C-alpha cells in the first residue's frame, strides 16, 4: 500500500508542476491574448532598444508577413466562404450583401473623414495617403470578435468586411503608377495554381495538404513577381478548397469530426502563434513624430469608419438586407468599433504609398494608435452584455 501511494505521488507531482502552466496557456489561448501580447512587446522593445528591435524585425519581416500570414488569410477567407454556403451563417445575398454594403459604408466614411481633415488642415500633400484610411487590420478584428463571441455569425460578417475593405486598398495601390508591374510569368503561375486546385477538386481530394503544397507556392510566386503582396496567394484558390457549410461555429470544438473543420481546429494554435509573431514584427513603432497625418488617420479610422458602417447598415436594413443571424444593433456597434483598427494593414499601405520621411512617420504612428479601437470594442461588448459578457454565459461558466 505504501509503495502504491509513493508511486501515485511520483506520478502526480510532475502533473501538479505542469498544471499551472497548462492553466496559463489555456487562459492565453482561450482569450486570444497572443496578438496583443506580441504587439505590446514590440512597442516597448522598439522604444527602449530601437536598434536591436528593428534588426530583429527586418530579419523576420519576410517569413512572417509574406509567408506565414498567407496561411492565416487563407483560413479567414475559407471561413467566410464556408459561411456563405447553403446552410451557412451568411447564406443568401441579403446577408453576405449586408457585409459588402457595410464595407462600402466604412470605406466612404473613412475616406471622407480623412480628406476633409487634411483639407481643413491645409496639408494637401497628405491626400496621397487616402487609401491608408481604408485599411482594416484583419488580425485585430479577428481577435476582438473571437474574444467576445465563441460561436456567432459576427466572425464571418466581420472577416468579409475586412477582406473587402483591404481588397479595395490593394486595388488602389495597383492603380498607382509605381504600385504593380504586370509580369506575364507571374500571371501564368497564378493561373496554373488555380488550374491545379481545380484538378484536385475534380478528383475529390478532401485533405488540405496537396492544395497548400502544390497550389500555394505557384500562386505565391506569381503574386510576388507582380509585386502584389504574396500573403494573398492562397485566396484565389480558396473557392476550390474542400468546404463544409459553416453555421455558427468557427474553429470548431474538438468533438467536430468533419475533415474540414477538424483541419481548422488543429490550426487554431498555429494561427495564434502566427498572430503573436505578426504583432511582434510589425507593431514596433516609435512613439514620436505625430502631426496632422496622425490625427487625420485616427479621425478617419476611429470616427469616419464606424459612422460609415452603421449608416450603411441602417440604409441596407431599410432596403431589405438582413443583419447577421442572432445579432442586433448593439452587436453592430461592437462590430463597427472592431473594424476601426487599421494597424498592420495600414502600416503596409503606408510603406507602399508614401515615401520615407516625416509624413510616413506621422501616418505610421496613426496606424499604430488605431489599435485603441480593440479595447473600445471590448468595453462596448461588456457594456451591452454581449457574448462572453452576457449573463447567460456567466451562468453557464459558473455551473460548469
Amino acid at each position: 500500500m505504501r509503495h502504491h501511494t509513493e508511486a501515485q505521488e511520483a506520478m502526480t507531482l510532475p502533473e501538479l508542476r505542469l498544471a499551472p502552466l497548462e492553466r496559463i496557456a489555456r487562459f492565453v489561448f482561450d482569450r486570444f491574448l497572443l496578438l496583443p501580447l506580441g504587439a505590446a512587446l514590440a512597442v516597448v522593445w522598439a522604444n527602449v532598444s530601437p536598434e536591436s528591435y528593428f534588426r530583429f524585425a527586418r530579419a523576420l519581416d519576410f517569413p512572417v508577413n509574406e509567408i506565414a500570414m498567407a496561411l492565416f488569410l487563407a483560413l479567414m477567407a475559407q471561413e467566410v466562404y464556408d459561411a456563405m454556403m447553403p446552410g451557412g451563417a451568411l447564406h443568401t445575398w441579403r446577408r453576405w450583401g449586408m457585409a459588402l454594403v457595410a464595407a462600402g459604408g466604412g470605406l466612404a466614411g473613412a475616406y471622407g473623414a480623412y480628406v476633409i481633415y487634411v483639407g481643413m488642415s491645409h496639408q494637401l500633400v497628405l491626400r496621397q495617403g487616402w487609401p491608408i484610411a481604408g485599411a482594416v487590420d484583419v488580425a485585430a478584428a479577428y481577435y476582438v470578435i473571437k474574444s467576445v463571441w465563441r460561436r456567432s455569425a459576427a466572425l464571418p460578417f466581420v472577416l468579409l468586411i475586412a477582406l473587402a475593405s483591404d481588397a479595395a486598398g490593394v486595388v488602389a495601390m495597383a492603380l498607382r503608377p509605381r504600385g504593380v508591374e504586370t509580369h506575364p510569368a507571374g500571371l501564368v503561375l497564378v493561373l496554373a495554381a488555380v488550374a491545379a486546385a481545380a484538378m484536385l477538386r475534380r478528383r475529390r481530394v478532401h485533405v488540405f495538404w496537396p492544395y497548400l503544397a502544390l497550389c500555394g507556392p505557384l500562386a505565391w510566386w506569381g503574386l510576388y513577381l507582380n509585386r502584389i503582396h504574396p500573403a494573398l496567394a492562397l485566396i484565389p484558390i480558396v473557392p476550390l478548397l474542400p468546404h463544409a457549410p459553416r453555421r455558427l461555429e468557427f474553429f470548431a470544438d474538438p468533438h467536430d469530426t468533419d475533415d474540414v473543420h477538424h483541419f481548422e481546429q488543429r490550426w487554431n494554435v498555429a494561427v495564434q502563434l502566427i498572430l503573436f509573431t505578426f504583432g511582434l514584427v510589425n507593431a514596433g513603432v516609435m512613439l514620436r513624430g505625430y502631426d496632422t497625418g496622425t490625427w487625420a488617420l485616427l479621425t478617419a479610422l476611429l470616427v469616419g469608419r464606424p459612422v460609415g458602417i452603421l449608416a450603411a447598415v441602417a440604409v441596407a436594413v431599410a432596403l431589405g438586407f438582413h443583419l447577421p443571424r442572432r445579432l442586433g444593433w448593439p452587436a453592430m456597434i461592437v462590430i463597427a468599433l472592431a473594424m476601426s483598427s487599421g494597424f498592420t494593414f495600414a502600416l503596409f499601405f503606408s510603406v507602399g504609398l508614401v515615401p520615407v520621411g516625416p509624413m510616413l512617420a506621422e501616418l505610421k504612428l496613426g496606424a499604430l494608435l488605431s489599435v485603441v479601437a480593440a479595447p473600445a470594442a471590448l468595453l462596448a461588448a461588456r457594456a451591452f452584455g454581449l457574448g462572453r459578457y452576457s449573463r447567460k454565459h456567466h451562468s453557464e461558466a459558473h455551473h460548469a
Side-chain angles (χ1 to χ4, degrees):
M1 184 72 177
R2 178 182 176 184
H3 293 296
H4 175 72
T5 303
E6 290 176 350
Q8 188 178 37
E9 289 178 355
M11 292 175 62
T12 56
L13 282 176
E15 294 176 1
L16 289 174
R17 294 191 191 101
L18 289 174
L21 295 178
E22 291 176 355
R23 286 197 296 270
I24 292 172
R26 184 174 299 176
F27 179 88
V28 170
F29 280 98
D30 285 350
R31 288 160 178 78
F32 298 88
L33 297 179
L34 286 182
L35 173 61
L37 178 60
L41 288 174
V43 172
V44 173
W45 188 357
N47 285 274
V48 171
S49 181
E51 183 178 350
S52 64
Y53 171 77
F54 289 111
R55 187 167 55 246
F56 165 84
R58 281 193 298 269
L60 289 184
D61 176 74
F62 189 85
V64 171
N65 289 334
E66 308 204 17
I67 299 178
M69 283 302 290
L71 177 62
F72 170 74
L73 292 178
L75 286 173
M76 299 303 98
Q78 166 89 352
E79 303 289 2
V80 172
Y81 192 90
D82 287 354
M84 294 170 64
M85 293 177 65
L90 294 183
H91 181 54
T92 77
W93 67 271
R94 293 179 186 273
R95 294 193 187 279
W96 59 258
M98 173 66 85
L100 297 182
V101 170
L107 289 171
Y111 293 158
Y114 182 85
V115 171
I116 291 172
Y117 193 102
V118 168
M120 293 179 64
S121 302
H122 305 291
Q123 297 285 337
L124 300 185
V125 68
L126 287 166
R127 281 189 175 180
Q128 63 182 297
W130 65 265
I132 304 169
V136 176
D137 192 316
V138 181
Y142 169 83
Y143 159 72
V144 170
I145 300 304
K146 286 292 288 184
S147 296
V148 177
W149 290 283
R150 298 290 293 182
R151 298 181 180 181
S152 170
L155 189 54
F157 183 73
V158 163
L159 292 176
L160 183 52
I161 296 174
L163 292 175
S165 301
D166 290 331
V170 171
V171 170
M173 291 181 65
L175 294 177
R176 297 176 72 86
R178 64 186 183 90
V180 175
E181 59 183 34
T182 302
H183 198 298
L187 295 176
V188 170
L189 287 172
V190 173
L191 292 175
V194 174
M199 180 191 69
L200 292 172
R201 177 69 176 268
R202 186 171 182 177
R203 291 181 175 274
R204 299 183 179 181
V205 176
H206 295 299
V207 292
F208 282 79
W209 293 112
Y211 295 88
L212 298 179
L214 175 62
C215 309
L218 290 174
W220 189 95
W221 189 245
L223 294 186
Y224 184 79
L225 288 177
N226 282 286
R227 295 178 61 188
I228 299 174
H229 204 296
L232 304 171
L234 292 172
I235 292 181
I237 66 172
V238 163
L240 298 168
L241 295 177
H243 291 281
R246 176 68 65 182
R247 293 177 172 80
L248 291 181
E249 61 270 12
F250 278 70
F251 289 116
D253 291 331
H255 66 267
D256 189 341
T257 57
D258 179 87
D259 288 340
V260 175
H261 296 168
H262 181 61
F263 175 86
E264 295 160 1
Q265 170 64 25
R266 286 187 301 170
W267 277 98
N268 186 13
V269 173
V271 163
Q272 294 202 52
L273 292 175
I274 289 172
L275 293 181
F276 171 78
T277 57
F278 183 67
L280 187 60
V281 168
N282 291 280
V285 175
M286 304 292 288
L287 299 178
R288 60 172 181 259
Y290 61 88
D291 208 331
T292 303
T294 305
W295 306 122
L297 189 56
L298 284 175
T299 301
L301 294 173
L302 303 182
V303 179
R305 192 202 309 282
V307 170
I309 288 175
L310 293 174
V313 168
V315 171
V317 168
L319 293 176
F321 288 80
H322 296 160
L323 292 175
R325 294 174 182 171
R326 305 177 190 174
L327 298 177
W329 279 104
M332 288 300 103
I333 294 174
V334 173
I335 287 171
L337 291 173
M339 303 303 300
S340 298
S341 175
F343 190 28
T344 48
F345 272 80
L347 291 174
F348 165 62
F349 290 159
S350 298
V351 173
L353 291 166
V354 181
V356 176
M359 184 167 62
L360 177 60
E362 295 173 25
L363 293 170
K364 289 178 69 175
L365 184 56
L368 173 63
L369 294 178
S370 70
V371 297
V372 300
L378 294 175
L379 288 174
R382 180 184 290 274
F384 290 126
L386 300 175
R388 68 164 64 244
Y389 303 111
S390 67
R391 293 181 180 179
K392 179 181 178 181
H393 177 85
H394 287 294
S395 177
E396 290 175 352
H398 177 74
H399 289 300

